[in-house]
């Protein structure tokens, strides 16, 4: 992954529409017992994910409970990561918000921190909005940010946001803003949409949101994946990307799929946090903000047992 | 409407769970040509609505494009209203947010400004959340605000928020927080849910979100209504509330229903703003923030003609 290009500014900036590649982790956000973000643990977790092989960190995504954080918390945590040694170029923070002024403020903050790109949700309060309205939101954010160095990744997750980022919207944005529209994370959950986007937008860096579609994605030109369960198995996913076709690769792919299937039996974010608490020996890792709730003790034991059995089998 | 009680604090505060009654207007938020809130026009519009007979102003609701405003804009606009003569006790600002810290900050700001109550959305990013998670959000907001004088109205609008405020959640909140849970705005769009809430929660101030259910509501113990189209016909709705049963009342009810039906043929918020622009002779009233879009010229002319014909017929 190279991100230096995206930070150079002005007309002479070299265009590198695929600066992010590989496995990006939508890093979990740890909280302390009083409910505030646990800044120190967040830094060490991000450093650990990079050590384990993460190509980038899509901090402040859905899995990060970004929308359960205040704007101030998001901006301050991002600065804290960079100030404490997390390379800014590896970061693709979520900077979407329902309001244009807040999306602009978050995006400017990410650029100022040196982030390699930003992952931007559509405004997600109003439903049944027009494609023209979604285009207008992104257009206004991009123009108010006013930086040709901006590399914006569209965040398509209609089952959560209620607002789809359709091919006509993407086409119109690419026509209007060229390399500023760098890519898209497809969390729609099906291969069909990803496959269509890869075919229609070969110049965008398309990231399916699950390692389940990683191999098919890579074969069809995907840039990698941005997967919630990479919080648990980033090393395996990175290995999978780097292993040439053959027996070892198929085995890794099956293992990754089995692990994902285990997590998918539970509410995903509380499950990932429960496992992080177990792995790092820190109970506060389990804390989620409302409306999410922690796993029950029984769920937690069952999940950890299932992952242990899988690991012994693997 | 009496709101003095809701502002007295401490253990000796008199409990007045039905402090808001009548027609409350989810006031439109005007913007200037550069897209920022038009503070002066907002003040004069709110004053006009009260002059026309509004019993209260549910500013920063869905119709107000509240979630398209930043937290800073919402707090500053509320202070501006109060500083410019809008009686704070008439105000029921929307203070919900996806994040607890922001809902707390907005709610504290509303209390500091002297608002008679607050209307609080559930956190609306995550979907399929548990009733326990929705309860936990409201509980945490209430406890972090920590004011027995708080009068909180739950905002049930599942078709927009994706998160329902169900009777079990309401029961649990009422048990835990007593008079702090003052009422509920039911924007579910059907009479069945409103009727059930009126029956199960006779001590709450229940507001259906449409004048269509006003008469049935009043007959069954509703506190009034909080209706988007009250931005256009608050005088008629107030008159309807105050007219005793008889011929005049049925006629007013039919007129109000016909006007509502005309608006419902269009995207509601842009339609209300187009008509405000026409009524007040100020084109900038038409401006909406993305993802909403203005009506087309043809839609605008057709809507204004239809309302004119209705008014001549009435």
């Amino acid at each position: 992954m190279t991100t230096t290009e995206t930070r150079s500014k002005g007309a002479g900036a070299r265009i590198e529409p695929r600066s992010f590649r590989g496995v990006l982790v939508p890093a979990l956000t740890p909280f302390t017992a009083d409910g505030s973000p646990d800044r120190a643990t967040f830094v060490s977790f991000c450093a650990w994910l990079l050590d384990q092989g993460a190509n980038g960190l899509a901090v402040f995504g859905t899995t990060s409970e970004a929308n359960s954080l205040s704007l101030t918390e998001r901006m301050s945590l991002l600065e804290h990561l960079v100030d404490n040694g997390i390379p800014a170029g590896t970061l693709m923070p979520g900077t979407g918000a329902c309001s244009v002024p807040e999306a602009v403020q978050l995006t400017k903050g990410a650029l100022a921190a040196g982030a390699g790109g930003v992952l931007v949700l559509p405004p997600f309060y109003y439903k049944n909005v027009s494609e023209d309205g979604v285009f207008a939101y992104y257009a206004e954010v991009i123009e108010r940010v006013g930086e040709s160095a901006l590399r914006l990744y569209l965040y398509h997750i209609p089952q959560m946001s209620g607002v789809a980022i359709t091919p006509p919207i993407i086409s119109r944005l690419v026509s209007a803003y060229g390399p500023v529209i760098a890519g898209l994370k497809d969390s729609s959950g099906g291969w069909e949409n990803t496959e269509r986007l890869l075919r229609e937008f070969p110049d965008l860096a398309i990231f399916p949101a699950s390692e389940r579609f990683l191999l098919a994605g890579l074969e069809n030109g995907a840039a990698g994946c941005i997967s919630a369960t990479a919080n648990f198995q980033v090393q395996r996913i990175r290995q999978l990307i780097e292993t040439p076709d053959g027996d070892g690769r198929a085995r890794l792919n099956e293992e990754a799929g089995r692990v994902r299937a285990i997590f998918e039996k539970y509410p995903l974010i509380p499950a990932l946090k429960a496992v992080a608490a177990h792995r790092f020996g820190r109970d506060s890792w389990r804390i989620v903000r409302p409306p999410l709730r922690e796993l029950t003790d029984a769920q937690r034991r069952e999940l950890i047992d299932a992952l242990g059995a899988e690991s012994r089998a693997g």
Side-chain angles (χ1 to χ4, degrees), chain A:
Chain A
M1 193 197 59
T2 59
T3 52
T4 355
E5 299 87 346
T6 66
R7 272 183 285 160
S8 60
K9 292 179 186 180
R14 187 152 78 81
I15 291 161
E16 176 54 78
R18 289 215 176 182
S19 52
F20 279 98
R21 295 197 75 84
V23 53
L24 273 68
V25 187
L28 297 164
T29 308
F31 297 108
T32 61
D34 75 356
S36 52
D38 182 342
R39 296 154 70 89
T41 303
F42 191 42
V43 170
S44 56
F45 181 58
C46 286
W48 179 82
L49 288 169
L50 291 171
D51 276 354
Q52 293 280 308
N55 295 97
L57 301 174
V59 292
F60 313 129
T62 299
T63 309
S64 323
E65 298 172 80
N67 290 308
S68 304
L69 302 173
S70 70
L71 178 141
T72 313
E73 286 173 334
R74 285 160 77 164
M75 296 192 65
S76 151
L77 277 172
L78 184 67
E79 282 167 25
H80 191 72
L81 288 182
V82 175
D83 289 349
N84 286 275
I86 303 298
T90 65
L91 296 170
M92 186 198 282
T95 62
C98 288
S99 80
V100 167
E102 289 176 327
V104 168
Q105 198 181 340
L106 287 163
T107 304
K108 282 185 172 172
L111 278 172
V118 293
L119 184 57
V120 185
L121 277 170
F124 54 85
Y125 181 65
Y126 293 106
K127 303 302 184 288
N128 304 311
V129 297
S130 65
E131 292 185 321
D132 189 47
V134 178
F135 171 81
Y137 165 86
Y138 284 109
E140 200 170 321
V141 170
I142 291 166
E143 290 181 15
R144 287 184 186 255
V145 169
E147 285 272 9
S148 61
L150 174 65
R151 290 298 174 269
L152 187 149
Y153 294 76
L154 302 162
Y155 190 1
H156 179 59
I157 181 166
Q159 73 280 24
M160 207 66 92
S161 66
V163 174
I165 304 173
T166 59
I169 296 171
I170 304 169
S171 290
R172 216 176 136 190
L173 285 168
V174 168
S175 297
Y177 301 108
V180 166
I181 308 299
L184 181 141
K185 176 180 178 191
D186 184 5
S187 297
S188 63
W191 170 245
E192 199 179 313
N193 190 60
T194 307
E195 197 277 333
R196 178 180 175 186
L197 296 177
L198 288 167
R199 203 173 53 236
E200 291 191 23
F201 303 100
D203 291 336
L204 294 186
I206 308 282
F207 292 89
S210 167
E211 54 272 54
R212 258 188 294 152
F213 304 124
L214 179 60
L215 287 193
L218 292 176
E219 280 160 22
N220 288 273
C225 74
I226 306 178
S227 169
T229 36
N231 279 283
F232 176 77
Q233 58 175 349
V234 66
Q235 198 173 26
R236 184 181 284 126
I237 299 172
R238 175 68 182 268
Q239 220 183 327
L240 176 55
I241 292 172
E242 302 203 338
T243 302
D245 204 356
D247 277 358
R249 194 188 202 193
R251 186 183 49 78
L252 281 168
N253 195 38
E254 277 158 30
E255 281 171 14
R258 282 199 302 269
V259 165
R260 176 142 193 126
I262 292 171
F263 275 105
E264 285 179 345
K265 290 180 193 158
Y266 302 89
L268 191 53
I269 300 164
L272 288 162
K273 286 191 142 179
V275 172
H278 180 72
R279 173 177 258 166
F280 300 115
R282 180 187 283 268
D283 284 352
S284 59
W285 252 119
R286 288 187 217 146
I287 300 169
V288 289
R289 282 196 172 169
L292 303 185
R293 305 307 281 155
E294 294 182 25
L295 294 194
T296 63
D297 288 352
Q299 286 177 316
R300 199 171 72 238
R301 278 192 299 267
E302 189 190 70
L303 166 61
I304 287 163
D305 285 353
L307 290 171
E310 166 58 33
S311 142
R312 285 187 299 278

